[in-house]
Amino acid sequence: MSAPIVETVRLSRTARDQMLSLKRRTGIEGWNVLSRWALCVSLAEPTRPRDPGPAGDGGIEMTWRTFAGGDADLYAALIRQRCTADGLAADDATAVVQEFHRHLHRGVAYLVGERDLASVSQLVSKSLA
């Protein structure tokens, strides 16, 4: 496993509230599992996400290891590839971390905006569409 792109993954209080809604609707209990889905949903979008601003207090914190689990290298590679595709330097650690947090927050917002998302199976169906 390569070095983590960030030691601590931080989500804002707004994202935490959105994740709580997703947990209730989907039955998925793990922040890390929902965060992984959110990241992938955002990475699938062709545009760059906007800066969500500082995470502040009252949000969610988890280690990169908790976030990525055994697929840490895969998630890191996906983020770096997206940075390259968006014209950012994939070896610029600051840019990679910023893009990761941008995509994570946008993905959470996208998922919570899917009002008909009420189960794990619908989440899987959405990802295959």
Side-chain angles (χ1 to χ4, degrees):
M1 181 180 338
S2 61
I5 63 167
V6 64
E7 289 296 327
T8 304
V9 176
R10 290 185 173 86
L11 287 155
S12 67
R13 182 179 191 95
T14 298
R16 182 190 66 93
D17 293 345
Q18 293 169 328
M19 296 273 277
L20 285 170
S21 173
L22 288 169
K23 285 176 83 169
R24 283 191 300 270
R25 289 165 41 195
T26 64
I28 297 173
E29 289 296 319
W31 298 122
N32 58 335
V33 175
L34 285 169
S35 294
R36 293 172 193 163
W37 280 101
L39 176 66
C40 291
V41 165
S42 181
L43 289 173
E45 292 293 320
T47 59
R48 279 189 68 202
R50 65 180 176 83
D51 185 357
D57 294 331
I60 299 169
E61 288 189 1
M62 67 184 100
T63 65
W64 171 258
R65 183 179 176 148
T66 298
F67 167 80
D71 294 320
D73 289 343
L74 172 65
Y75 289 110
L78 288 171
I79 295 160
R80 287 189 175 103
Q81 189 282 330
R82 181 55 189 261
C83 284
T84 300
D86 288 341
L88 302 171
D91 59 351
D92 180 342
T94 301
V96 171
V97 169
Q98 287 174 342
E99 289 302 298
F100 167 67
H101 281 107
R102 287 177 179 202
H103 279 286
L104 185 55
H105 279 86
R106 180 171 76 173
V108 170
Y110 280 2
L111 287 178
V112 82
E114 293 284 334
R115 293 293 172 203
D116 59 343
L117 185 62
S119 69
V120 173
S121 62
Q122 289 175 334
L123 189 57
V124 171
S125 294
K126 176 177 175 34
S127 69
L128 298 175

